[in-house]
Structure formats: structure tokens, C-alpha cells
Amino acid sequence: MIFSVSFEEIFKMLKKDSMESTLPIPVYWIEMSDSVSRRFEFEADGRLSSLLFAAGLRPTPAQATAVGWILKDGMQHVGKLICSNLGARMDSEPKSWRILADVLYDLGAGLEVLSPLCPQLFLEMAGLGNLAKGMAVVAARATRLPIYSSFAKEGNLSDLFAKGEAISTLCNVFGIGVGIQLASTICSSMKGKLIVGPFLSLIHVYCVSEEMRATPINTLNPQRTAMIVADFLKTGRVSSPADLRYREDLLFPGRLIEEAGNVKIGRAIHEVLKPSELHHVKERFPDERFILSLGPKWTDLILEHSATGEDALRGWLVAAYAADIENSSNIQSENVLAEAFDRMDGVFPSFLSEVRAKGWHTDRFLDGARCRFTL
């Protein structure tokens, strides 16, 4: 069979194809949150496209969309890098940082839930949400080891990790089931999500807080050292990690404890002493790996770079005895530290042996990367 096509018909076909090829192609994506889905579109003259044009690029709408998603996901990596610089503080206060990690994760998830309500601010809200979640992931992983280590009485750290992951998996599966049920009932609308979401977040943070309060940590940090010294001066006995776990301040771990001498640890030497005073202060205790400076409101304790938990306990006891002497007598400040050091030196051997018997690790002192000195 032979078809005959005129030149006029061919011209019409080519003209139709060329017109169709120049039609704008819509660029869109669909956001799905539980049982709600919303359709969003990027226009060629949007804000992100304008920024890219200003940078010398000529993006298509599809490329602008891709760059937006890259920026949003990249914020999570930025959050991880920010939080990775705070590892020493997490070693010092793992329980406080574990709670903060859950707060940040819930905050990030909340911003993601709210982003469909503000389509014009979707990129900003999603980026901040991913930033918070990235910081939360690093903080949660970094604090897991010191918390698990306090339970590894027989060196069975790997077994504890395995059991912890199993429990976490079971809880996640149960949570997914509950989430599916809520998504099909109460949370089928945005109003339901705004009511149930904060309520579940409060329950989550409360449960984690109670879990952390019940966890005994056997490493020495500023707060636990001050509590040990304060209890020793009041009762003559040393508290164990289990004794102190419910008394730790997880919101303000750096607060001063008056019964332990109001010791503030780790300030830079130039903030505490003048250069001309350093040699004189160091001569008070030439064989010790700490420096004490009595002030009107608190006592500064600065540790040497190689100082251990034992050195921190010695310095803290001297500061506590000095505060007690100042409150109960009229001894001049020059003689207060000397008298306090003599008291500490007399009780320290028995005090240290009891500290170790209670399960405290005195081979290191976790001060959260605060300033130390080297002479």
C-alpha cells in the first residue's frame, strides 16, 4: 500500500512538533507525610533560581529543584560536622547530651511535619530540620559508648551493644505499628498531627530523661567529683555511682556546689592569674598537678595537662577545706591554702582507697575539654 503525503501536510506536521517542543514543562514534586500528600511546583523565576543566576549559573527549573534538595540534605552533614567538634563535652556529660540529642531529633522531625504548612519556606524549614537531626544522630551515637561502659562490669561491652540494638529494633518496630495506626485515625489531618506530635515528643523526652537519671556513670567529671567531695566532708563517707545518679543535675551540670568549695574548673590561666602571679601560685604546691586561686565568689581549679582523676580529687579537697576554714575562722588567705592542704594530705590515702572501692575510675578526669596548663 502506497501513501502519498503532500508538502503542505509535512510542513504542518513539522510546525506542530516544533510548537509542542517549546511548551514549558512543569517541574513539581509531591510531599507525602503519613496519609497526607501535597503537590508543590518550582517556577523558573523562583528564589533559588534567582540565587543561582546571581552566582553566574543558568539553571533550568529541574536543576534548581535538584540543587534545593542537595542543600536540604547537605544541612544534615553540616549538623554532623558541628556536633563532632563537641565530643570531649559529651564524654564529660554523656547523660545530658543524650537527652539533648533526643530533643534535637524531635525538633527536626517537628519542622518536617510543619513544612507543608509553609510551602514558600519549605527549603529553610527542611534544612533546619535536617541540621538538627544530623546533630542529634552524632550526639546519640557518641554518648552510647560511655553509657554502655558503665554497665560493662565484666568487659562485655560488645554483648551490651548487641542487646541494646536488639531492644532498639523491637521498639522501632512497635513504634512503626503505632504510627501507622495513628496515621489512619487521629493523625489523618494536620490538626491531629499538631496535637499528637508534641504530646508524643514530651513522652519521649521524659522517658529518656528518666532512663538517664537511673544510669550510674563511674567516671569522674566536675559535677560528680564535687558531689563526692561534698558528701565526704558532710558524712565522712564516699558515695558510689549508684548513690549519685538521681542527684545529678542534667539540665545545669556546671552549677557550683557550695559544700564542695564552689569550685570552678578549667578557666584559662590568663583569666584567673596575672603572668607575674603564676610562679608564686605554683610554688604553693610545687609537686601537685593543679593550681588553686581563691576568689570572692568561687575557687578556680586549673589542672595540668597530664592530671588524672586523683589529681582532681586532691585539688578539690584542698579547695573544699579552704572554704570551710574561711567560713569558720579568721585565718589570713595566705595561710588558708596551707592549712587546707595539710588536712587533705592527712585524709587522702584512706579517701582515695574508698573512692576506688566504690567503683570510681580515678585514672582519668573528664572535664569537657576545658583549658589545662603545661609548665
Side-chain angles (χ1 to χ4, degrees), residues 179-325:
I180 293 173
Q181 183 66 27
L182 290 174
S184 60
T185 54
I186 303 175
C187 297
S188 58
S189 64
M190 181 56 70
K191 183 179 180 180
K193 293 183 179 67
L194 294 178
I195 295 174
V196 175
F199 177 70
L200 293 178
S201 294
L202 288 175
I203 294 177
H204 176 214
V205 174
Y206 173 77
C207 292
V208 173
S209 300
E210 290 300 306
E211 178 186 5
M212 292 299 102
R213 289 182 68 241
T215 302
I217 303 293
N218 53 13
T219 53
L220 294 176
N221 69 350
Q223 182 178 194
R224 288 189 284 273
T225 302
M227 294 170 71
I228 291 171
V229 170
D231 290 348
F232 179 73
L233 264 63
K234 287 191 296 184
T235 64
R237 57 180 294 272
V238 174
S239 299
S240 67
D243 296 331
L244 298 184
R245 54 182 172 172
Y246 288 108
R247 294 166 49 196
E248 290 186 68
D249 191 340
L250 301 182
L251 288 179
F252 304 101
R255 66 182 178 89
L256 301 179
I257 299 178
E258 184 177 358
E259 295 82 0
N262 283 330
V263 174
K264 180 175 288 189
I265 188 167
R267 287 211 299 164
I269 290 184
H270 69 272
E271 297 177 357
V272 179
L273 300 170
K274 297 178 181 179
S276 58
E277 299 174 340
L278 178 59
H279 183 69
H280 174 68
V281 172
K282 181 60 180 172
E283 280 185 340
R284 294 175 181 169
F285 314 118
D287 298 328
E288 301 294 333
R289 287 184 284 187
F290 62 82
I291 289 177
L292 284 175
S293 177
L294 301 181
K297 295 182 179 180
W298 63 75
T299 298
D300 282 291
L301 172 63
I302 308 174
L303 295 175
E304 194 176 302
H305 182 70
S306 59
T308 63
E310 181 177 339
D311 298 305
L313 287 169
R314 291 176 67 88
W316 224 292
L317 269 178
V318 173
Y321 279 130
D324 182 62
I325 294 171

Side-chain angles (χ1 to χ4, degrees), residues 284 294-295 322 325-326 330-340:
R284 294 175 181 169
L294 301 181
I325 294 171
E326 282 188 330
N330 296 322
I331 301 178
Q332 296 182 355
S333 59
E334 287 292 329
N335 300 324
V336 165
L337 285 176
E339 175 67 21

Side-chain angles (χ1 to χ4, degrees), residues 72-106:
K72 179 182 74 69
D73 294 336
M75 291 298 289
Q76 186 168 7
H77 300 295
V78 173
K80 291 180 179 180
L81 291 175
I82 292 174
C83 209
S84 64
N85 293 325
L86 305 174
R89 299 184 184 183
M90 297 178 198
D91 278 328
S92 178
E93 294 289 347
K95 297 198 283 187
S96 298
W97 279 92
R98 182 65 179 84
I99 296 173
L100 180 60
D102 286 279
V103 172
L104 288 174
Y105 196 88
D106 288 351

